[in-house]
Amino acid sequence: MDNKNPPQTIDEYIARFPEEVQVILQEMRRTISAAAPEAVEAIRYQMPTFKLKGKNLIHFAAFKHHIGLYPTPSGITAFDKELAPYKKAKGSAQFPLGKPVPYDLVRRITEFRVGEEG
């Protein structure tokens, strides 16, 4: 990511990636937006972010080999078993590029986070 010229919108962020990654990022955006219709789009930490009631709800980002999802530690813990096939950390999960992204799981994690913040 270009630290000297960070993206100001999710559209700008997505446009910086190859077309095949853009397709995944757009689907992540649609999935999260549908699961959190009250959320507002933003860029935080140079990543696409959805905010709810002024708080960061969930972030996602593209990297060389994966798509990262950042639903806070509670969003990871609540879906620990379903996220078991993926590399994860305290507040993040990685979905490898070249493999299907579990959009249904992303939707359910987002809905969980909405319930927490709602």
Side-chain angles (χ1 to χ4, degrees):
M1 188 62 54
D2 180 0
N3 289 330
K4 291 180 183 163
N5 188 20
Q8 300 300 306
T9 67
I10 292 179
D11 285 328
E12 280 183 30
Y13 180 91
I14 291 173
R16 296 175 182 213
F17 291 91
E19 188 174 338
E20 62 274 10
V21 176
Q22 288 184 30
V23 170
I24 296 166
L25 293 172
Q26 288 288 13
E27 189 59 28
M28 289 288 285
R29 180 189 206 176
R30 278 190 293 274
T31 300
I32 293 167
S33 182
E38 310 272 316
V40 176
E41 291 187 352
I43 295 288
R44 295 291 178 269
Y45 312 109
Q46 296 189 26
M47 293 186 288
T49 301
F50 282 79
K51 296 179 65 122
L52 187 63
K53 298 180 181 176
K55 294 182 180 180
N56 293 339
L57 182 72
I58 194 165
H59 312 272
F60 64 96
F63 296 91
K64 188 172 183 177
H65 300 291
H66 70 275
I67 300 293
L69 182 71
Y70 305 89
T72 73
S74 63
I76 297 299
T77 303
F79 293 86
D80 193 53
K81 286 183 182 170
E82 291 170 272
L83 288 167
Y86 305 99
K87 186 174 181 181
K88 58 188 188 304
K90 183 178 177 184
S92 65
Q94 295 180 8
F95 305 125
L97 291 174
K99 295 189 177 182
V101 174
Y103 295 112
D104 182 62
L105 180 56
V106 171
R107 176 188 55 78
R108 289 184 287 121
I109 291 170
T110 303
E111 290 169 348
F112 171 81
R113 289 288 297 126
V114 168
E116 282 191 314
E117 296 297 335

